Amino acid sequence: MKQRESFVGGAMALLVSSIVVKLLGALFKVPLTNLIGDSGMGLFSFAMQFFSLLFVVCAAGLPVAESHLVSEALALGDRRRARAVVVHAAMVFGAIALAMSVLLATFAPTICRLFGESVNAAFCLVAIAPAVFFVTLEAALRGWYQGTGNMIPTAISQVAEAIGKLIVGLALARLFLDRGFGITGAAVGAVIGVSCGELAAMSYLLWSARHGVGSALHTRQNGPVVLPQLFRLMVPVTLGAAVMTVSGFLDMAVIYRRLPAAGFSSEEVVAAYGAYTGMAMTLFNLPQALSNSVSVSVLPALSAAHARRNTAQVRRLTTSSLRLTLLVCLPCGAGLFVLSGPLLHVLFASQPRGVLTAEPLLRLLGIAEPLVGLSAVTTAILQSFGRPDLTVYSSAIGCAVKFAVSFRLAAVPEYNISAAPIGTLVCYSIILLLNLVSVVRLTGWLPPLGKAIFRPLVASCGMAAAAYRMYLALLPHIGLNAAVILSVCAAVPLYVLLLIALRALNAEDILPLPGGERLARLLRLTS
């Protein structure tokens, strides 16, 4: 029970920080989109795609592999070996990331020409290049903390990153725009803000490591043994992350290359891509704070339970992680589906053309929300079993089907840009199904997903219907903004009441929270 409470407590710490980070991210992206428009967001997203790709190459698998090795070593009482992991990870992958940063900055104009972008976009690539090095050192240090079960430094560093990006990015974007550098200059300012945010996060983690686990950074023993194991775990995790990043690149390529066949001009293509990434995807990514938090927290706990061959604990943690994910992702997806238009009109009021493009895209993405959350958690479960290779296969198959669907539909005028979210929906459905099949094959046990889905789904649908009716009733009297805010605020307690009425919550879901025992008694919840 203690290990479960530790996992849920870690998940809650990351959830709180992730919610703050997502809100800060929205406070960054929403004004930025209103400031630089669809075309400027297209330039910003162009640079961020390359940042994502190099992050995958240098560090995507590092926290997962490192936390797995650290948690296993600590579970077996080998703290010296656990400490050896962090220093070798930071040294080796930090050097690789530094080389990648230099190469990106050096060849930025060539990359822009290859992708048919203006050479001016090279400034965005140069501005994002240092962030590759910063984020890799972050990954090495976060892997240590996550492996020890201490999620607080990771949570604080995420908030520091978001604050740095928000303050510096928006300030520079506005400054460069006012100084006459145009949309390109403003996009460069926003990208510099991203690099500054990563620098702030890295600085905090280095300071924390110096005062908390400084001895780990000076440990050199066990290197010849640690590095091969680290690479063995990292390679499949990195490949899995690379598949998803390449999927983002394929989305970009499909949109840029296939939409002209549907009758779009080059300017309309850039605007459509900006509306998809800057508006629809911004809201779609918000609820993923929980699934990411659960994934990060459950991995070391499951790895330790698996190392001890504690089958009962493995099943309890697996069930809890899936339940937590569904309890949040289902209502968020339902809310995005019914209130996609109103939410976009409130947040992006200065971009009415983009909102019209993004509204049907966000509605489709709302359906995909719980699939994405469950895919992330089942991926973490397989990684904790020491089988990240299985997640590579499921991701590769899902992304291959996504590309085929998107490529086929994007050139059809009736679908055009909607091909991207349709492909995403198909992709994550396949990934989830294949991951569950792998879990069953490894454990001989099927997680009780049907039982975990039904009651939260009913509560989510009831909440979404009530919120939408409330929005329609309030709109003529208090206006769009107030109607949306009140409807969303009322939806949260309504959903909790529906969960209690349907007995979808039990004491185990509440006890790990602060004041959980008192709250469970107040709500008369049983285990």
Side-chain angles (χ1 to χ4, degrees):
M1 182 65 183
K2 282 186 178 181
Q3 194 175 34
R4 182 187 182 278
E5 290 188 8
S6 175
F7 142 62
V8 177
M12 289 303 166
L14 285 178
L15 174 59
V16 171
S17 72
S18 296
I19 291 173
V20 173
V21 167
K22 292 294 183 182
L23 290 175
L24 291 172
L27 288 175
F28 170 69
K29 266 200 168 183
V30 171
L32 181 64
T33 302
N34 288 320
L35 183 66
I36 65 178
D38 299 342
S39 298
M41 287 306 296
L43 293 173
F44 178 82
S45 299
F46 180 75
M48 294 308 296
Q49 286 287 0
F50 279 92
F51 171 65
S52 298
L53 178 63
L54 292 181
F55 167 72
V56 165
V57 172
C58 297
L62 189 53
V64 171
E66 196 178 334
S67 76
H68 179 86
L69 290 177
V70 168
S71 61
E72 275 195 343
L74 292 177
L76 299 175
D78 192 352
R79 188 168 184 82
R80 186 181 180 188
R81 179 182 182 81
R83 287 179 167 182
V85 175
V86 64
V87 64
H88 290 93
M91 289 170 58
V92 173
F93 294 99
I96 294 172
L98 183 60
M100 290 292 182
S101 294
V102 172
L103 289 173
L104 178 61
T106 303
F107 293 101
T110 304
I111 293 170
C112 290
R113 284 193 292 268
L114 287 174
F115 277 79
E117 271 285 0
S118 166
V119 178
N120 290 333
F123 293 111
C124 290
L125 296 182
V126 173
I128 201 64
V132 178
F133 174 68
F134 301 150
V135 78
T136 301
L137 289 186
E138 288 173 50
L141 293 167
R142 284 173 177 171
W144 163 264
Y145 284 118
Q146 290 164 15
T148 61
N150 182 6
M151 303 298 168
I152 301 300
T154 294
I156 294 174
S157 67
Q158 288 174 344
V159 175
E161 173 192 335
I163 291 174
K165 177 175 67 174
L166 172 66
I167 295 174
V168 178
L170 286 182
L172 289 181
R174 168 60 70 180
L175 177 65
F176 290 171
L177 196 62
D178 291 343
R179 292 292 177 89
F181 292 102
I183 295 301
T184 300
V188 171
V191 174
I192 292 174
V194 174
S195 291
C196 290
E198 299 296 349
L199 175 61
M202 182 196 71
S203 300
Y204 165 75
L205 287 170
L206 286 173
W207 177 86
S208 181
R210 177 188 174 98
H211 290 78
V213 290
S215 58
L217 299 177
H218 298 92
T219 305
R220 292 181 177 275
Q221 65 273 20
N222 292 336
V225 178
V226 167
L227 283 177
Q229 285 191 316
L230 197 61
F231 275 108
R232 180 176 59 82
L233 287 170
M234 269 194 67
V235 168
V237 174
T238 300
L239 287 175
V243 168
M244 302 312 297
T245 303
V246 168
S247 172
F249 263 93
L250 292 177
D251 263 348
M252 183 170 68
V254 165
I255 289 170
Y256 272 84
R257 297 295 181 183
R258 296 288 285 171
L259 285 191
F264 281 59
S265 67
S266 58
E267 292 79 10
E268 289 172 335
V269 169
V270 174
Y273 183 64
Y276 174 58
T277 57
M279 297 182 185
M281 290 301 294
T282 296
L283 290 180
F284 172 64
N285 288 331
L286 286 174
Q288 293 174 34
L290 174 84
S291 57
N292 293 335
S293 303
V294 172
S295 300
V296 170
S297 297
V298 79
L299 195 148
L302 268 175
S303 295
H306 191 259
R308 297 191 188 101
R309 302 186 184 278
N310 189 339
T311 302
Q313 183 70 359
V314 167
R315 292 185 177 184
R316 281 195 295 270
L317 289 169
T318 300
T319 302
S320 295
S321 62
L322 294 173
R323 276 177 52 79
L324 279 173
T325 302
L326 285 167
L327 284 172
V328 171
C329 288
L330 280 172
C332 289
L336 290 178
F337 182 83
V338 299
L339 292 175
S340 56
L343 287 169
L344 288 167
H345 279 288
V346 168
L347 295 173
F348 304 101
S350 66
Q351 302 292 326
R353 186 184 66 172
V355 168
L356 289 177
T357 301
E359 181 178 350
L361 308 182
L362 183 58
R363 192 173 294 117
L364 289 169
L365 290 171
I367 301 173
E369 194 70 67
L371 300 174
V372 175
L374 289 173
S375 296
V377 174
T378 52
T379 293
I381 290 169
L382 291 173
Q383 289 168 349
S384 70
F385 293 163
R387 294 302 306 272
D389 55 306
L390 296 175
T391 67
V392 177
Y393 303 140
S394 60
S395 297
I397 293 170
C399 289
V401 175
K402 174 185 179 179
F403 174 71
V405 170
S406 299
F407 188 86
R408 174 69 182 86
L409 295 180
V412 179
E414 290 78 11
Y415 291 101
N416 57 77
I417 188 67
S418 296
I422 292 172
T424 296
L425 181 59
V426 174
C427 172
Y428 284 102
S429 299
I430 292 172
I431 291 174
L432 175 59
L433 177 61
L434 294 177
N435 282 353
L436 287 173
V437 169
S438 296
V439 170
V440 173
R441 287 178 59 193
L442 289 175
T443 64
W445 170 73
L446 177 65
L449 204 55
K451 181 180 178 181
I453 286 176
F454 180 71
R455 290 178 182 177
L457 178 61
V458 173
S460 299
C461 292
M463 174 217 70
Y468 186 66
R469 289 181 65 87
M470 182 177 179
Y471 161 74
L472 292 178
L474 292 174
L475 182 61
H477 305 289
I478 60 176
L480 175 66
N481 291 0
V484 171
I485 292 170
L486 288 177
S487 300
V488 171
C489 290
V492 176
L494 175 60
Y495 175 64
V496 174
L497 290 174
L498 287 171
L499 288 177
I500 296 170
L502 294 169
R503 297 182 180 178
L505 284 177
N506 56 45
E508 285 190 352
D509 298 318
I510 302 297
L511 289 176
L513 302 177
E517 290 188 18
R518 185 176 179 182
L519 185 58
R521 286 196 302 270
L522 180 66
L523 298 176
R524 298 180 181 179
L525 299 177
T526 58
S527 299

